[in-house]
Amino acid sequence: MRKFLVVLLSFVLLSSLVAAQPYVTVFEDRISVGQTIAVGNYTITVVQAADGSYYLMLRNGSRILELKPFAFGTEIERDGLRILMGSYTAQGGFIVVSVKPEFVTSLKPEVGAKAVFNGNVVRVIAAGNRTVDVSVNGVARTLEVNGSAIVDLIALEYDGKEIKVYAAEPASETVSMEYSVFYPYGKIRVSGPVDVPITITSASNSELRLPLRVTSMPEGWRASFLYGGVEVEEITLHPKGSVTVSLHIEPAGSGTLGFSIGDLPGSVQIEAAAIDVSIPYLGLEAEAGQKLAVPITFTGSGAVEFQATEVPAGWTMYLTDGQYRLRSFTVSGTFSATLFIEIPRNATLGDHRLSFTINGKEYGLTVHIYKTYLGQPAKLTVILTDGSGNPLKGWVSIGGKNVTTSAVGSVTVELPAGEYRIAAGAPGAVPIEETVKLGDGEEKTLNIALTKAPHYFEARLKNDVLTVTAGASASTELTITNLGSKEDEYRVTLEGLEPEWSYVISRDPTGATPIGTMKADPGESASAYLVVIAPFNVVSGEINAKLIITGKGTKVEIPVIIKVENPAALSLNADYPALTVKAGGSTATTVWIDSMGTTVTNIKITVQAPSGWEVEAVPSSIPRVGPIRKGNVVVSEGPSQFELRIKVPKSAPAGTYTITVTATGDQAKAETVITVRVTQGSSSAYLGILLLVVVFGIVIWLMRRVGRR
């Protein structure tokens, strides 16, 4: 297996050397942790990292040139030295080390030409037109034009004109070490303090105590070894153990820091990094209320400290990478950020200076405001939505005003600039409060999502005006819709009726199936009928009642107008509608009163008679006439009566007179006329005749006397 790896690695190495100065292999074998291969001024070491992985380290003195993970096929070429890695096993990692040999001399392509150096003999033993045979310490090789050959540590090149001879020094024996030192960085670009991790691995079977020293550093620098955050000058390694320490460096520029771990020297080259800042704008024009985005590009490697130093009152300035606001961050290569400047809407006209520092260096730009909204009212649009985002008609309270939204759930108000507390709600929703800040002349839209209240409902009467006749009933359908998020139970009452009235909530419009309460699930509706029953003696007119529906968390009142129509009519019938009486005499008749239809109550009897007559109705009032309800039975008690008593004065001349009798009840009114013929006594008749004779006699006497003259 080992021979196979040597052949394979050699083939890979040699195949890459065609048409180039040949490399000479100076070492091929396995190397493990704690061993070192020395090739001239270079050393090759295998070190183990803290995670257990293996690295190949190439150093020139204390300076680390290369540090590569030990992996099959990995190649390192540096300063004429080439290392090709094979596999790594428990016995170590296999490597092939080759170098470019040093030029020794040139030979003519002629038989017998010879070169002798360091005990080596190179001789030309045959020459042809296209080839030449050369012997190296007794080993023959044939060289073609532009060909090469390698024998041990000697390399030959033939260009058709001369043979160049090269020789290399062998690698030194591998040296077993008690410990190895591994650090991943040989050259570092920094912009501030840095900690270099150094892993020290023991190959010894006994405990080791190693001093840690900083051997050299430029003036003004500070450096020390840290272990667990504590400064140390010596470290103890357990047998076959490993420890990682930090070399803390505070550079003051570029330079190289030297150190030693025990007897092993090391160095770290520090290059101070500078951050270049590119800002494309020096001055901008803007309108008050705008948000400016200024791109800033950072180039270099190191830490960046950003600080805003001069910002006008009410303005905002910050640096962001599109996700976070930045104050301190690191750059490696090129980094783009955005400087945001938020201008208040009440910014004054003219130039405004803003400045900031990046790593202590001040930068700035000027913003010229050409338009401002200072003193102008703000316009706020509030949109109410439900849990699904649908518009919701409701109300908004802001700035001491209560405003109802449109059918699409929006309302727009104008307000002075400032901060406001907004309350909003809608039927069936839980009211909510929010705070909004408005700038001068700002137009802002605020979307408020409302959630359903646990208990809320809407109630609707099919007809809110009922027409009912005395002693009858009227009904209308009541629909209750549960708009809450939970089941609810509803109690229905009607207020505003007189005690004689009655009502019922029923499943049917006749009132035959009364119910106590109504129930509805969320989003569902329940229906019933309001049945109103009027008494017989109700008065025609209108009643303003109120239907009250009470749920678990809400109460709804619906005005109900009840129009009453009472068809009741009174009738008056006298036993003797025509009477005869002598002057100074009295007479009477019975008058019957009855209701044609429903009950009439509180009937008062009034009369209208000639002057000086004495007429009265006994009794002058009747409580009720007509049918009455006793339970579910309607009973008619028949007509009532009163006596009309008439007394004619003695001075009443004989003749025919009329008396008007009026019966006025709560529900109806009726009139009748009684005719009275008045006569005189016999003595009065004779006296009248005598008077007439005397009058006629006087008239005749006068006529005669006048006629004689």
Side-chain angles (χ1 to χ4, degrees), residues 321-344:
D321 64 349
Q323 185 176 7
Y324 304 105
R325 290 192 179 192
L326 305 176
R327 295 189 63 183
S328 178
F329 55 97
T330 59
V331 174
S332 179
T334 300
F335 178 79
S336 296
T338 302
L339 180 69
F340 277 115
I341 301 172
E342 297 178 1
I343 308 171

Side-chain angles (χ1 to χ4, degrees), residues 102-389:
E102 298 289 335
F103 177 74
V104 176
T105 186
S106 296
L107 296 176
K108 294 291 185 179
E110 298 175 354
V111 177
K114 181 174 67 172
V116 179
F117 57 92
N118 297 331
N120 298 302
V121 177
V122 179
R123 180 183 293 112
V124 179
I125 58 178
N129 294 329
R130 298 291 302 173
T131 62
V132 62
D133 293 339
V134 180
S135 170
V136 179
N137 295 328
V139 179
R141 290 286 188 270
T142 299
L143 296 174
E144 295 181 351
V145 177
N146 295 326
S148 63
I150 299 174
V151 179
D152 293 331
L153 300 178
I154 298 174
L156 305 173
E157 277 186 335
Y158 178 47
D159 60 3
K161 296 180 179 180
E162 62 180 358
I163 303 168
K164 293 182 179 180
V165 181
Y166 301 89
E169 294 292 332
S172 64
E173 296 276 337
T174 59
V175 180
S176 177
M177 300 176 58
E178 291 185 315
Y179 61 94
S180 63
V181 176
F182 168 77
Y183 54 101
Y185 313 120
K187 185 175 182 180
I188 306 174
R189 183 179 174 88
V190 300
S191 61
V194 63
D195 289 321
V196 178
I198 300 176
T199 301
I200 310 167
T201 304
S202 172
S204 174
N205 293 321
S206 59
E207 186 176 86
L208 298 177
R209 298 174 67 87
L210 303 175
L212 310 176
R213 300 185 183 91
V214 175
T215 56
S216 64
M217 61 180 170
E219 185 178 355
W221 288 31
R222 294 183 62 189
S224 61
F225 286 93
L226 302 177
Y227 179 73
V230 179
E231 188 172 331
V232 294
E233 295 181 351
E234 187 178 77
I235 199 73
T236 299
L237 291 179
H238 295 295
K240 304 292 184 178
S242 179
V243 172
T244 299
V245 298
S246 294
L247 177 58
H248 178 74
I249 307 172
E250 297 180 8
S254 299
T256 301
L257 181 140
F259 64 92
S260 64
I261 309 292
D263 295 329
L264 291 179
S267 65
V268 176
Q269 185 177 348
I270 303 294
E271 182 179 346
I275 303 296
D276 294 327
V277 181
S278 175
I279 305 174
Y281 310 125
L282 298 177
L284 298 170
E285 287 192 353
E287 179 181 313
Q290 279 189 309
K291 185 176 183 179
L292 304 179
V294 179
I296 299 181
T297 302
F298 299 89
T299 305
S301 178
V304 175
E305 294 287 339
F306 171 85
Q307 183 177 3
T309 55
E310 184 180 353
V311 182
W315 293 47
T316 302
M317 179 173 65
Y318 58 91
L319 189 68
T320 175
D321 64 349
Q323 185 176 7
Y324 304 105
R325 290 192 179 192
L326 305 176
R327 295 189 63 183
S328 178
F329 55 97
T330 59
V331 174
S332 179
T334 300
F335 178 79
S336 296
T338 302
L339 180 69
F340 277 115
I341 301 172
E342 297 178 1
I343 308 171
R345 299 183 68 85
N346 61 350
T348 56
L349 299 175
D351 292 339
H352 298 265
R353 181 67 178 172
L354 297 95
S355 61
F356 52 91
T357 61
I358 296 176
N359 289 344
K361 183 178 179 180
E362 185 170 301
Y363 300 84
L365 69 159
T366 300
V367 178
H368 178 78
I369 302 300
Y370 62 85
K371 182 178 180 180
T372 184
Y373 297 91
L374 180 63
Q376 296 185 20
K379 185 180 291 185
L380 175 67
T381 298
V382 181
I383 300 176
L384 304 183
T385 59
D386 60 15
S388 301

Side-chain angles (χ1 to χ4, degrees), residues 586-635:
S586 299
T587 186
T589 185
T590 299
V591 180
W592 296 89
I593 181 171
D594 200 0
S595 170
M596 296 180 293
T598 59
T599 301
V600 180
T601 57
N602 299 322
I603 305 166
K604 296 188 182 300
I605 311 299
T606 59
V607 296
Q608 185 176 359
S611 178
W613 290 40
E614 295 180 12
V615 180
E616 65 175 336
V618 180
S620 61
S621 64
I622 298 172
R624 180 184 68 250
V625 294
I628 62 173
R629 183 186 296 274
K630 293 185 177 180
N632 293 326
V633 179
V634 177
V635 179

Side-chain angles (χ1 to χ4, degrees), residues 454-469:
H455 300 287
Y456 185 83
F457 67 92
E458 286 184 351
R460 180 179 59 85
L461 279 176
K462 187 174 183 180
N463 298 305
D464 56 3
V465 178
L466 297 178
T467 301
V468 62
T469 58

Side-chain angles (χ1 to χ4, degrees), residues 472-634:
S473 64
S475 66
T476 183
E477 187 177 15
L478 168 65
T479 302
I480 300 175
T481 303
N482 186 353
L483 299 177
S485 60
K486 295 183 179 180
E487 181 192 61
D488 208 347
E489 186 173 10
Y490 311 100
R491 178 172 168 268
V492 184
T493 57
L494 183 65
E495 294 183 355
L497 297 180
E498 296 294 330
E500 295 83 2
W501 287 69
S502 61
Y503 71 92
V504 65
I505 306 300
S506 174
R507 294 193 182 278
D508 62 280
T510 64
T513 313
I515 58 175
T517 57
M518 302 168 63
K519 287 185 178 181
D521 291 327
E524 301 295 330
S525 298
S527 297
Y529 290 88
L530 168 66
V531 183
V532 178
I533 305 167
F536 278 98
N537 61 345
V538 69
V539 180
S540 296
E542 288 188 356
I543 299 175
N544 293 317
K546 186 165 53 179
L547 188 68
I548 301 175
I549 304 98
T550 306
K552 292 181 180 178
T554 315
K555 182 168 73 172
V556 172
E557 297 182 357
I558 303 176
V560 181
I561 298 175
I562 302 174
K563 291 186 176 181
V564 182
E565 295 180 355
N566 193 332
L570 289 174
S571 64
L572 293 174
N573 295 297
D575 284 349
Y576 301 101
L579 300 173
T580 302
V581 64
K582 292 181 179 181
S586 299
T587 186
T589 185
T590 299
V591 180
W592 296 89
I593 181 171
D594 200 0
S595 170
M596 296 180 293
T598 59
T599 301
V600 180
T601 57
N602 299 322
I603 305 166
K604 296 188 182 300
I605 311 299
T606 59
V607 296
Q608 185 176 359
S611 178
W613 290 40
E614 295 180 12
V615 180
E616 65 175 336
V618 180
S620 61
S621 64
I622 298 172
R624 180 184 68 250
V625 294
I628 62 173
R629 183 186 296 274
K630 293 185 177 180
N632 293 326
V633 179
V634 177

